Amino acid sequence: MNQLKISHLTVTYSNGFHAVNDLSLEIGNGMFGLLGPNGAGKSSLMKTLAGLQKCSSGTMMMNGTDISENPDYMKQNLGFLPQDFGVYPKVSAQDLLHHIALLKGISNTSERHEQVDSLLEKVNLTGFRKKEVRTFSGGMRQRFGIAQALLGNPRIVIVDEPTAGLDPGERNRFNTLLNAISKDVIIILSTHLVEDVRNLCSEMAVMDRGRILTAGEPEQLIAGLDGKIWAKSLVQQEPETAGYQVISRQLINRKLYLTVFSEDQPEGFHAVTPQLEHVYFKTLSQNI
Ligand SMILES: Nc1ncnc2c1ncn2[C@@H]1O[C@H](COP(=O)(O)OP(=O)(O)OP(=O)(O)O)[C@@H](O)[C@H]1O
Ligand SMILES: [Mg+2]
């Protein structure tokens, strides 16, 4: 069992902005979903965990080792797929994997070949191994990205919005791949797809403005809203929302619906079965 323990972590950029603000979190094996709006601090947190930038205070312990003091431990045990991979050099997928494997310290040639070949197979890129990664489609690139993240059998895999821009088929394949490796390692997944967190993650958190607003098992967080979510269709832009905790105004089948949180049934509203999306919107609406 692996354990990542983040305590009172603060990440401050040079302009003085706290992108991560006194954040504490404990994560074990399995898939952990990180939800949060644009600018919440997800990538800042992930890049700091990956050792690409320093924190200004707090601690990050991986299996009992302080990873700020001992960055090599994290380097040896981490697979990271950043939100923006940047530019790829003019080399084939296979050669690039070998190069990254060497950087990760897999110096034994036969071991390296074995890993590269088996990962190319795993992500369905064996037939494209001689092609340059920069000529790949978005989905192929992300599959290559997960292959490079898995080199060296990491104990912790961090993937930052890995399925953004993928078609539904590619997204399913990518998610299935992540799920298959998630049993024995920590996977931290950031995404804007609430549905993916619901389907893939055993634990999750909602983050905004550098802080964790709520964390737990998706099922439990949803169960906490049982009998408390109500909706009605809005004929026009009705202003009469005072007194309700509004969760969302959303188009469903081209009709505008107002969804609110309330212990009792508000007049004119019908009951709605809570979904993870309600947890997300309710959590954020409390943080205004
Ligand atoms: N290098 C930087 N210097 C100053 N501010 C930064 C820097 N990088 C990010 N920020 C700010 O930190 C905040 C968090 O950004 P971050 O990229 O971590 O958010 P995010 O949750 O990953 O968002 P998204 O969902 O859009 O990817 C934002 O307000 C952003 O503008
Ligand atoms: Mg981001």
Side-chain angles (χ1 to χ4, degrees), residues 12-20 35-47 53 83 160-161 190-192 207 210:
T12 310
Y13 286 116
S14 52
N15 60 1
F17 183 75
H18 301 306
V20 177
L35 285 172
N38 292 129
K42 304 180 295 297
S43 296
S44 299
L45 172 64
M46 291 176 140
K47 284 189 275 189
Q53 56 191 33
Q83 184 169 5
D160 196 356
E161 289 188 42
S190 84
T191 177
H192 291 293
M207 167 170 198

Side-chain angles (χ1 to χ4, degrees), residues 105-160:
I106 312 168
S107 49
N108 180 299
T109 312
S110 62
E111 189 192 335
R112 205 169 59 239
H113 275 277
E114 211 171 281
Q115 277 203 30
V116 166
D117 292 349
S118 104
L119 281 170
L120 281 168
E121 195 63 40
K122 205 175 200 166
V123 301
N124 247 325
L125 288 176
T126 304
F128 300 92
R129 68 188 184 285
K130 305 267 192 229
K131 293 217 179 300
E132 290 175 14
V133 182
R134 53 196 202 97
T135 67
F136 281 2
S137 73
M140 288 161 77
R141 261 180 220 214
Q142 288 307 77
R143 281 192 270 134
F144 175 84
I146 199 74
Q148 65 77 27
L150 295 180
L151 282 167
N153 300 313
R155 292 168 197 254
I156 173 164
V157 176
I158 298 178
V159 286
D160 196 356

Side-chain angles (χ1 to χ4, degrees), residues 17 25 38 94 104 116 203-204 219 226 236 257 281:
F17 183 75
L25 202 56
N38 292 129
Q94 191 174 31
K104 281 193 171 182
V116 166
E203 298 275 337
M204 61 165 285
E219 294 78 16
D226 245 351
Q236 282 157 353
Y257 282 86
F281 283 128

Side-chain angles (χ1 to χ4, degrees), residues 20-260:
V20 177
N21 200 343
D22 193 29
L23 181 148
S24 299
L25 202 56
E26 266 187 63
I27 303 178
N29 282 4
M31 222 187 296
F32 186 94
L34 193 57
L35 285 172
N38 292 129
K42 304 180 295 297
S43 296
S44 299
L45 172 64
M46 291 176 140
K47 284 189 275 189
T48 309
L49 288 171
L52 298 180
Q53 56 191 33
K54 293 208 180 314
C55 64
S56 36
S57 59
T59 54
M60 300 170 282
M61 306 288 284
M62 174 71 188
N63 295 341
T65 301
D66 186 322
I67 60 178
S68 307
E69 284 176 5
N70 191 349
D72 281 350
Y73 179 80
M74 197 60 166
K75 256 186 215 156
Q76 285 151 15
N77 291 293
L78 169 82
F80 183 42
L81 177 54
Q83 184 169 5
D84 184 7
F85 211 93
V87 231
Y88 287 97
K90 272 189 162 186
V91 292
S92 72
Q94 191 174 31
D95 289 351
L96 192 51
L97 281 183
H98 273 280
H99 177 72
I100 298 169
L102 276 171
L103 290 179
K104 281 193 171 182
I106 312 168
S107 49
N108 180 299
T109 312
S110 62
E111 189 192 335
R112 205 169 59 239
H113 275 277
E114 211 171 281
Q115 277 203 30
V116 166
D117 292 349
S118 104
L119 281 170
L120 281 168
E121 195 63 40
K122 205 175 200 166
V123 301
N124 247 325
L125 288 176
T126 304
F128 300 92
R129 68 188 184 285
K130 305 267 192 229
K131 293 217 179 300
E132 290 175 14
V133 182
R134 53 196 202 97
T135 67
F136 281 2
S137 73
M140 288 161 77
R141 261 180 220 214
Q142 288 307 77
R143 281 192 270 134
F144 175 84
I146 199 74
Q148 65 77 27
L150 295 180
L151 282 167
N153 300 313
R155 292 168 197 254
I156 173 164
V157 176
I158 298 178
V159 286
D160 196 356
E161 289 188 42
T163 57
L166 298 196
D167 73 47
E170 280 285 12
R171 183 174 135 216
N172 280 342
R173 279 191 283 280
F174 192 91
N175 286 344
T176 309
L177 201 70
L178 273 190
N179 183 59
I181 55 162
S182 68
K183 204 163 63 72
D184 302 319
V185 301
I186 295 175
I187 298 186
I188 309 178
L189 161 81
S190 84
T191 177
H192 291 293
L193 299 165
V194 180
E195 196 190 325
D196 280 359
V197 171
R198 175 80 179 97
N199 291 321
L200 295 168
C201 298
S202 47
E203 298 275 337
M204 61 165 285
V206 179
M207 167 170 198
D208 196 15
R209 297 184 206 174
R211 296 174 189 272
I212 298 297
L213 304 180
T214 190
E217 295 173 19
E219 294 78 16
Q220 281 184 355
L221 294 172
I222 294 167
L225 295 183
D226 245 351
K228 296 174 186 175
I229 302 296
W230 313 91
K232 75 169 181 179
S233 75
L234 292 179
V235 184
Q236 282 157 353
Q237 289 288 1
E238 297 171 39
E240 41 117 7
T241 51
Y244 302 128
Q245 187 180 342
V246 174
I247 288 184
S248 68
R249 278 182 193 79
Q250 203 173 18
L251 285 166
I252 303 169
N253 293 331
R254 297 181 304 280
K255 248 186 173 172
L256 190 62
Y257 282 86
L258 174 70
T259 305
V260 302

